[in-house]
Amino acid sequence: MQVATASVQSRDGSRIQVPLLLALLAAACGGSGEKALPVGPSCPIDQMACGQQCVAVGTDAMNCGGCGIPCSAGQMCEGGACQCVSGMLCNGTCVPSDATQCGTSASPPTLVTSAPGAYWKTDGQLTPVTSGTSDVTVNETATAQTWEGFGGAFNEMGWSYLSMLSPSDRDAAIHLLYGADGARFAFGRIPIGASDYAMDRYTLDETANDTSLAGFSIDRDKQLLIPFVKAAQAVKTNIRFWASPWTPPTWMKQGPFSPGNALSPFDGGSMKSDDATMTAFAQYLIKFVQAYAQQGIPIEAISSQNEPSYTGNYPTCGWSPATYTKFIGQYLGPAVVGAGLTTKILLGTFNGGGTDRSIVSSVMGDMAAGSYISALGFQWGMVDTVRNAQSYHLPIWQSEHKCGNYPWAKPFNADQAPNDQAYAVESWGLIRDWIKAGVTAYSAWNMVLDTVGVGIDTTRVWPQNALLTVDTSAKTLNITPTYYVFRHFSQFVATGAKVVATSGGDAVAFKNPDGSVVTVLYNSGSAKTMTVATASTKLQFAMPGNGWATVFAR
């Protein structure tokens, strides 16, 4: 789609191109480059504000049911939900109208419980009752944000460990994450160059001062990263991929670099802000999107930098608010438009440290930069920022789940990641709190690691938890308790669901586009009988102690 643009003056006095709609809005308000973006246009009753545009989310296939939710090929948006032109919807994809095409979960169980030693039990019974007090009441008419889905991060180490398994176990792992009978993840995060869970440090162009990017290549990614992604695509064809660099090419940075056991230009430093570097980095990201598209991997969104205020002893890079804003408004945004890409720009990912909040306000307060942002990516310490950020009328993604086993806290296991029930309970609290804060999507960190969980940080040893682990000695696959916590949500909550209110107990609930209601509960006490009032009925069931339940009601 061609986007009309106009020339406006930025804060430093230069002339830059922004979408014409934003220029007209600025002119109507008597604005200049000094004015903040107008927040929330006044939309007709059948439309909603998505950034600075009014969108008919009931029929718009690129914003179906909510801002930025795309329908896949062969689907149309009807009543705010993606529907198949023909066939049936299975795990987000249209298949022939035959339930055998959709695995055993075409009709999901109505009750699933998990507890220590008894994870993912589907043999419990829901009993309708007409009297008694409900432990949890779902108010499906009190709706909040539209839900986009759950996901997780791909990494080189993960595929290297999965490759140690038998083909059947490796296939089982992918199905556990993306399959119709598994977690049904909707998103996948891809690192641009090395993350802290690459096999070692690299970027996609380490030829010094290569501003023409003649040395750009994704050949390294074809060894471990792209096979991991393609294995997931083979199970689920419409995964929504987004990508972020942990560091730009080292020649785009300046020191000082992070001190530690092994000084490296990959670790720390700060982004240069000269025109040649800014132009080259924008094209670096464009080339990544184009190269992955040639591999059959569409990148829906890109971010400029993972955690731009953190410069640790693994691939990292610091950005100032001014440099970040300048890059988005004057370089990356125009480069995406100029390349004719539909790729969105994600403002993230921010962990809440340093100047993170200042970067968000600087970018969103700049006429040029803010006009190019399609979603926000918050993680770790940014949960308290979600509510205020909703004023931008953009999707807000929780972009990285906390990994647990913190070196600054006790207990800390320096030998291997615990991957235990305690982390599952912590994970429940995190997912619950972010959803109730108002995010529209939630991403796990590493989906797969070995049982040790150590990355390439050269100074701080930090064994991190994952959803699935591989015992590299026994060559076996392990499913962690936290995986089941994610699946209690993700297998049942469809893209386009509405978060709905609950009262009583410790619960989160959603109403799916088909009218079904999903209630996920945690019981920190001993086993007991619980009653949930949902979907115009009261349902009673046996709730395990220190465990979870998903109640699926129509």
Side-chain angles (χ1 to χ4, degrees):
M1 179 180 70
Q2 287 295 110
V3 178
T5 63
S7 177
V8 301
Q9 184 170 312
S10 70
R11 289 179 176 178
D12 64 4
S14 60
R15 303 296 296 184
I16 50 181
Q17 297 295 311
V18 302
L20 180 58
L21 173 63
L22 270 297
L24 292 173
L25 284 169
C29 298
S32 69
E34 296 297 323
K35 293 281 187 179
L37 277 171
V39 177
S42 178
C43 298
I45 193 169
D46 60 341
Q47 298 182 16
M48 70 179 292
C50 291
Q52 298 306 311
Q53 298 186 23
C54 292
V55 177
V57 296
T59 56
D60 189 330
M62 296 306 295
N63 300 276
C64 190
C67 302
I69 303 177
C71 293
S72 301
Q75 296 179 3
M76 60 183 177
C77 184
E78 190 173 90
C82 295
Q83 307 286 350
C84 296
V85 176
S86 62
M88 63 180 284
L89 196 62
C90 169
N91 197 15
T93 302
C94 294
V95 298
S97 299
D98 179 353
T100 61
Q101 297 285 330
C102 203
T104 59
S105 289
S107 298
T110 56
L111 174 66
V112 178
T113 61
S114 292
Y119 295 102
W120 208 254
K121 297 299 180 180
T122 60
D123 54 358
Q125 297 295 316
L126 288 174
T127 302
V129 296
T130 57
S131 62
T133 302
S134 298
D135 298 280
V136 173
T137 299
V138 178
N139 183 356
E140 56 188 272
T141 63
T143 60
Q145 72 269 30
T146 302
W147 191 248
E148 298 186 67
F150 290 84
F154 294 93
N155 54 16
E156 286 193 327
M157 284 189 178
W159 189 249
S160 72
Y161 299 135
L162 287 174
S163 298
M164 298 178 182
L165 300 174
S166 66
S168 60
D169 282 352
R170 184 166 59 249
D171 185 60
I174 300 300
H175 276 82
L176 282 167
L177 297 168
Y178 285 98
D181 291 332
R184 296 190 173 194
F185 278 176
F187 285 90
R189 181 185 186 183
I190 300 173
I192 303 175
S195 73
D196 41 327
Y197 281 84
M199 301 303 290
D200 52 45
R201 289 156 173 76
Y202 77 100
T203 71
L204 305 181
D205 189 349
E206 276 303 298
T207 303
N209 302 316
D210 184 21
T211 54
S212 67
L213 300 176
F216 179 92
S217 173
I218 62 166
D219 285 349
R220 163 70 179 260
D221 289 3
K222 294 177 182 178
Q223 299 173 30
L224 293 170
L225 200 56
I226 288 176
F228 196 174
V229 174
K230 285 185 174 292
Q233 284 182 300
V235 171
K236 184 166 186 169
T237 59
N238 66 331
I239 300 171
R240 296 174 64 184
F241 296 108
W242 63 280
S244 60
W246 269 244
T247 179
T250 57
W251 50 272
M252 296 186 185
K253 302 198 293 183
Q254 58 192 1
F257 298 102
S258 299
N261 293 336
L263 191 67
S264 168
F266 288 93
D267 302 351
S270 60
M271 187 71 188
K272 296 177 181 178
S273 60
D274 61 276
D275 178 74
T277 301
M278 296 272 95
T279 300
F281 188 49
Q283 291 304 315
Y284 176 85
L285 298 177
I286 297 297
K287 281 182 171 289
F288 169 83
V289 172
Q290 293 170 333
Y292 266 65
Q294 291 175 358
Q295 296 295 312
I297 303 170
I299 304 298
E300 179 179 328
I302 48 173
S303 106
S304 304
Q305 174 67 48
N306 176 68
E307 299 183 342
S309 294
Y310 183 73
T311 53
N313 294 100
Y314 56 84
T316 51
C317 181
W319 288 67
S320 71
T323 299
Y324 203 116
T325 303
K326 174 183 174 183
F327 178 67
I328 296 294
Q330 300 183 35
Y331 297 93
L332 182 59
V336 170
V337 173
L341 300 177
T342 59
T343 308
K344 305 169 186 175
I345 297 177
L346 172 71
L347 180 56
T349 58
F350 301 107
N351 66 7
T355 60
D356 278 1
R357 289 171 174 81
S358 296
I359 292 175
V360 174
S361 60
S362 176
V363 171
M364 296 308 297
D366 182 88
M367 175 61 70
S371 70
Y372 292 112
I373 300 302
S374 296
L376 305 171
F378 293 170
Q379 57 202 43
W380 285 70
M382 290 287 282
V383 66
D384 61 350
T385 311
V386 173
R387 192 67 63 190
N388 286 339
Q390 289 178 322
S391 65
Y392 298 125
H393 298 282
L394 293 171
I396 304 173
W397 299 350
Q398 190 290 139
S399 45
E400 184 182 300
H401 184 64
K402 285 187 177 180
C403 59
N405 194 37
Y406 310 108
W408 56 86
K410 292 183 179 180
F412 169 63
N413 189 331
D415 298 319
Q416 70 175 46
N419 284 303
D420 54 9
Q421 171 74 6
Y423 179 57
V425 173
E426 178 190 356
S427 295
W428 159 259
L430 291 167
I431 296 169
R432 175 200 63 207
D433 292 349
W434 279 93
I435 292 173
K436 291 195 172 186
V439 296
T440 60
Y442 197 102
S443 284
W445 177 211
N446 292 304
M447 293 186 288
V448 182
L449 289 177
D450 67 347
T451 53
V452 177
V454 172
I456 59 173
D457 191 317
T458 57
T459 301
R460 180 171 62 181
V461 177
W462 186 354
Q464 298 184 10
N465 296 298
L467 301 183
L468 305 176
T469 65
V470 174
D471 184 322
T472 57
S473 297
K475 305 295 190 294
T476 53
L477 177 68
N478 306 306
I479 305 173
T480 72
T482 295
Y483 164 82
Y484 290 113
V485 173
F486 271 84
R487 185 171 168 182
H488 266 283
F489 288 91
S490 62
Q491 182 170 339
F492 298 91
V493 181
T495 295
K498 291 288 187 181
V499 178
V500 295
T502 64
S503 58
D506 190 359
V508 183
F510 304 78
K511 186 173 184 179
N512 283 326
D514 66 1
S516 59
V517 179
V518 180
T519 309
V520 189
L521 311 90
Y522 174 62
N523 172 29
S524 62
S526 57
K528 61 181 180 179
T529 298
M530 290 191 72
T531 301
V532 173
T534 178
S536 302
T537 188
K538 288 184 177 181
L539 300 170
Q540 198 171 80
F541 61 97
M543 181 74 176
N546 195 22
W548 296 269
T550 297
V551 176
F552 182 80
R554 293 186 183 275

